């Protein structure tokens, strides 16, 4: 039962159904899910550990809300990891079958698909590149930040018109990766990540006005 509660709450969080900072009371969740309170508390604690919820001592859980500093911090971690992965892929020329499959799955999404699917596809594409580069520690570091990245994407959905727009950006990244030209690929990746960071910062600033 705890797994089912975790799965549904995670789906809602990554679909952007809860606003950043929104309170999730154990009593309300217990009634909604028809689960015992210890079960709900265990489910909430799992999501706290994943970085999707926050809970102060003796307080109800709240949806993780991102500040501008949080977004900058995530991208300070993300950019060097991904650029290192791109360089390794260009250097070693590993098969890109899984990256292509991730891109194809992203492109196949309907434009108005549930936003959790878009968040999964976005992170899934980048994760496939990390997996292809053959550096397990880079992949592990990326995975540790994955839940927060997915929640950031979910909460800032208004930045995009639909899934197709984001999928097209990633198709371009894959083309740059397949070009075999390191400078071109690194520049495309850096532009993509810089643009995403600045876009998120702008949206956070609008939200906080």
């Amino acid at each position: 039962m705890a797994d089912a509660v975790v799965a549904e709450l995670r789906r809602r969080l990554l679909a952007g159904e809860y606003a950043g900072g929104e309170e999730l009371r154990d009593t309300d969740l217990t009634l909604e899910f028809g689960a015992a309170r210890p079960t709900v508390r265990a489910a909430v604690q799992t999501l706290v550990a994943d970085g999707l919820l926050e809970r102060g001592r003796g307080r109800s859980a709240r949806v993780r809300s991102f500040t501008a500093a949080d977004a900058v911090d995530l991208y300070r971690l993300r950019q060097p990891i991904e650029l290192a992965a791109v360089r390794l892929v260009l250097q070693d020329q590993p098969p890109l079958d899984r990256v292509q499959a991730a891109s194809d799955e992203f492109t196949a999404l309907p434009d108005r698909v549930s936003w959790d699917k878009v968040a999964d596809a976005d992170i899934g594409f980048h994760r496939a590149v990390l997996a292809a580069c053959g550096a397990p520690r880079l992949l592990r570091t990326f995975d540790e930040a994955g839940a927060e990245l997915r929640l950031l994407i979910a909460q800032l959905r208004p930045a995009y018109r639909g899934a197709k727009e984001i999928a097209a950006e990633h198709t371009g990244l894959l083309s740059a990766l397949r070009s075999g030209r390191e400078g071109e690929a690194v520049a495309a990746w850096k532009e993509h990540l810089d643009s995403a960071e600045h876009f998120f910062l702008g949206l956070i600033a609008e939200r906080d006005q």
Side-chain angles (χ1 to χ4, degrees):
M1 187 62 182
D3 289 344
V5 175
V6 168
E8 176 58 17
L9 288 177
R10 188 189 302 276
R11 185 200 66 76
R12 295 179 188 181
L13 287 161
L14 298 183
E17 293 182 16
Y18 295 126
E22 185 172 343
E23 188 177 42
L24 299 181
R25 297 176 183 271
D26 291 346
T27 51
D28 294 340
L29 295 175
T30 297
L31 290 172
E32 180 179 358
F33 287 103
R37 189 163 184 173
T39 299
V40 167
R41 290 183 67 84
V44 167
Q45 190 56 42
T46 296
L47 295 171
V48 169
D50 287 346
L52 300 179
L53 296 177
E54 298 173 319
R55 193 203 297 264
R57 191 176 185 86
R59 297 181 179 179
S60 295
R62 290 185 180 275
V63 178
R64 175 73 186 276
S65 181
F66 292 91
T67 65
D70 291 327
V72 170
D73 194 38
L74 276 171
Y75 275 84
R76 281 177 179 166
L77 172 67
R78 184 178 184 182
Q79 185 160 138
I81 289 171
E82 295 205 34
L83 295 184
V86 168
R87 291 188 176 98
L88 285 170
V89 168
L90 270 294
Q91 171 187 302
D92 298 336
Q93 295 291 306
L96 296 178
D97 296 351
R98 292 186 179 180
V99 181
Q100 183 66 61
S103 177
D104 291 344
E105 289 177 11
F106 205 165
T107 302
L109 290 177
D111 210 33
R112 299 301 175 188
V113 70
S114 173
W115 200 244
D116 60 315
K117 302 298 184 185
V118 179
D120 283 344
D122 190 325
I123 297 302
F125 174 87
H126 288 273
R127 189 183 189 280
V129 176
L130 266 293
C133 82
R137 289 173 180 80
L138 287 180
L139 178 59
R140 185 164 64 242
T141 304
F142 181 84
D143 282 344
E144 288 172 356
E148 290 182 89
L149 286 168
R150 282 161 56 165
L151 186 60
L152 179 64
I153 293 168
Q155 287 187 1
L156 298 177
R157 175 177 180 172
Y160 301 102
R161 291 191 293 272
K164 296 295 185 185
E165 181 178 343
I166 311 177
E169 293 177 16
H170 291 78
T171 299
L173 290 178
L174 179 55
S175 295
L177 201 60
R178 288 194 180 280
S179 73
R181 295 184 289 274
E182 181 177 314
E184 178 182 325
V186 169
W189 229 270
K190 190 174 188 307
E191 181 181 359
H192 174 73
L193 294 174
D194 283 344
S195 177
E197 179 183 351
H198 293 152
F199 214 13
F200 289 153
L201 289 174
L203 289 169
I204 290 169
E206 290 178 13
R207 181 201 66 191
D208 293 343
Q209 284 180 350

